[in-house]
């Protein structure tokens, strides 16, 4: 089970931190994703983090503004969002990854197999 | 980049439905399909292009490799009303197709 929280209404240029609480599986065995869906739009992949937090990957649209992290002692995933723009308005999902990591990279080859229900972020003045 | 077609379709219960997904570069078989019902979280249907996720009805079938992929629903059911997305997992940034909205006639 994945439960997101932290969504809110924020002004352009502001910051927000999303959280995702995981249960029902061994959290530190898995990579984790953030995915978003803007109003009336399709799915957009946002970010991925390795099982141990040492490797992170981002969509070009959020690189340098968003930061993914995890706390395996608390079974928790986070997304720190800075310099928010109106186009960041979306429903944000966390999802469990199926794949593996090597020393060089992570390979989430087998899809996102568990999803939360999402938390809504609205960026508006 | 992933290009899905059609962007929407309308079919009758029992019809065979085919959705295609074309990648701008070869992605081996690292492609997944998801079903998104209104107000619900996405649901993984197919991974590795053709492997059915546990619990997904056998009327869903994925095929393809390289740049061209297909999701087929062999006999459309009322509960299949949803938007379907492909996703490539071969290279970063990971990307989704634009989606195909399936409506029931």
């Amino acid at each position: 089970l994945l439960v997101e929280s932290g969504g809110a209404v924020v002004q352009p240029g502001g910051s927000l931190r999303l959280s995702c609480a995981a249960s029902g599986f061994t959290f530190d065995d898995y990579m984790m994703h953030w995915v978003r869906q803007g109003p009336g739009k399709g799915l957009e992949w946002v970010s991925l983090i390795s099982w141990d937090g040492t490797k992170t990957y981002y969509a070009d649209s959020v690189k340098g503004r968003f930061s993914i992290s995890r706390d395996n002692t608390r079974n928790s995933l986070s997304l720190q969002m800075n310099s928010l723009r109106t186009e960041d308005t979306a429903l944000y999902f966390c999802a469990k990854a199926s794949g593996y990591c090597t020393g060089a990279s992570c390979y989430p080859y087998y899809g996102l197999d568990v999803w939360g229900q999402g938390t809504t972020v609205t960026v508006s003045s | 980049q992933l290009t899905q077609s059609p962007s929407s379709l309308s079919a009758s219960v029992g019809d065979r439905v085919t959705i295609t997904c074309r990648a701008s570069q070869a992605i081996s078989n690292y492609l997944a399909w998801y079903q998104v019902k209104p107000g619900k979280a996405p649901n993984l249907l197919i991974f590795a292009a053709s492997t059915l996720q546990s619990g997904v009805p056998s009327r869903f079938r994925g095929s393809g490799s390289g740049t061209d992929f297909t999701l087929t629903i062999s006999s459309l059911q009322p509960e299949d009303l949803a938007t379907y997305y492909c996703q490539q997992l071969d290279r970063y940034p990971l990307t989704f197709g634009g989606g195909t909205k399936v409506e029931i006639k």
Side-chain angles (χ1 to χ4, degrees), chain A residues 64-79:
Chain A
R65 300 188 299 122
F66 289 14
S67 178
I68 190 172
S69 61
R70 65 191 296 160
D71 184 344
N72 287 343
T73 65
R74 296 174 183 258
N75 289 352
S76 178
L77 175 73
S78 295
L79 185 69

Side-chain angles (χ1 to χ4, degrees), chain B residues 54-78:
Chain B
S54 175
V56 174
S58 58
R59 64 180 179 273
F60 292 93
R61 179 178 175 269
S63 63
S65 184
T67 60
D68 294 308
F69 301 88
T70 300
L71 174 69
T72 301
I73 308 173
S74 61
S75 177
L76 190 68
Q77 298 302 303

Side-chain angles (χ1 to χ4, degrees), chain A residues 3 10 12 18 24 48-49 54-55 74 84 91 96 102 107-108:
Chain A
V3 180
V10 60
L18 305 184
L48 171 74
I49 189 167
T54 60
K55 298 177 185 62
R74 296 174 183 258
L84 282 161
L91 180 62
K96 173 177 158 286
T102 66
Y107 306 95

Side-chain angles (χ1 to χ4, degrees), chain B residues 21-49:
Chain B
C21 180
R22 174 162 289 176
S24 57
Q25 302 176 67
I27 56 169
S28 185
N29 68 333
Y30 300 126
L31 187 106
W33 290 96
Y34 301 87
Q35 177 191 63
V36 184
K37 294 184 177 181
K40 300 285 189 179
N43 182 43
L44 176 65
L45 298 175
I46 303 281
F47 62 92

Side-chain angles (χ1 to χ4, degrees), chain A residues 51-96:
Chain A
W51 65 272
D52 60 357
T54 60
K55 298 177 185 62
T56 58
Y57 304 85
Y58 298 94
D60 291 343
S61 59
V62 307
K63 197 174 294 183
R65 300 188 299 122
F66 289 14
S67 178
I68 190 172
S69 61
R70 65 191 296 160
D71 184 344
N72 287 343
T73 65
R74 296 174 183 258
N75 289 352
S76 178
L77 175 73
S78 295
L79 185 69
Q80 177 65 41
M81 304 186 295
N82 299 328
S83 302
L84 282 161
R85 305 167 180 168
T86 55
E87 55 263 37
D88 296 319
T89 295
L91 180 62
Y92 284 74
F93 299 98
C94 63
K96 173 177 158 286

Side-chain angles (χ1 to χ4, degrees), chain A:
Chain A
L1 180 67
L2 296 170
V3 180
E4 302 91 339
S5 60
V9 179
V10 60
Q11 292 189 336
S15 298
L16 200 61
R17 187 176 185 88
L18 305 184
S19 296
C20 171
S23 61
F25 63 96
T26 305
F27 183 67
D28 57 9
D29 277 352
Y30 295 96
M31 296 176 279
M32 295 293 296
H33 296 268
W34 286 100
V35 174
R36 68 185 182 183
Q37 184 170 27
K41 297 184 179 179
L43 298 175
E44 181 184 13
W45 176 79
V46 174
S47 185
L48 171 74
I49 189 167
S50 61
W51 65 272
D52 60 357
T54 60
K55 298 177 185 62
T56 58
Y57 304 85
Y58 298 94
D60 291 343
S61 59
V62 307
K63 197 174 294 183
R65 300 188 299 122
F66 289 14
S67 178
I68 190 172
S69 61
R70 65 191 296 160
D71 184 344
N72 287 343
T73 65
R74 296 174 183 258
N75 289 352
S76 178
L77 175 73
S78 295
L79 185 69
Q80 177 65 41
M81 304 186 295
N82 299 328
S83 302
L84 282 161
R85 305 167 180 168
T86 55
E87 55 263 37
D88 296 319
T89 295
L91 180 62
Y92 284 74
F93 299 98
C94 63
K96 173 177 158 286
S98 185
Y100 60 93
C101 293
T102 66
S105 188
C106 289
Y107 306 95
Y109 286 152
Y110 308 119
L112 286 61
D113 59 358
V114 179
W115 294 68
Q117 289 302 306
T119 187
T120 299
V121 173
T122 302
V123 184
S124 173
S125 54

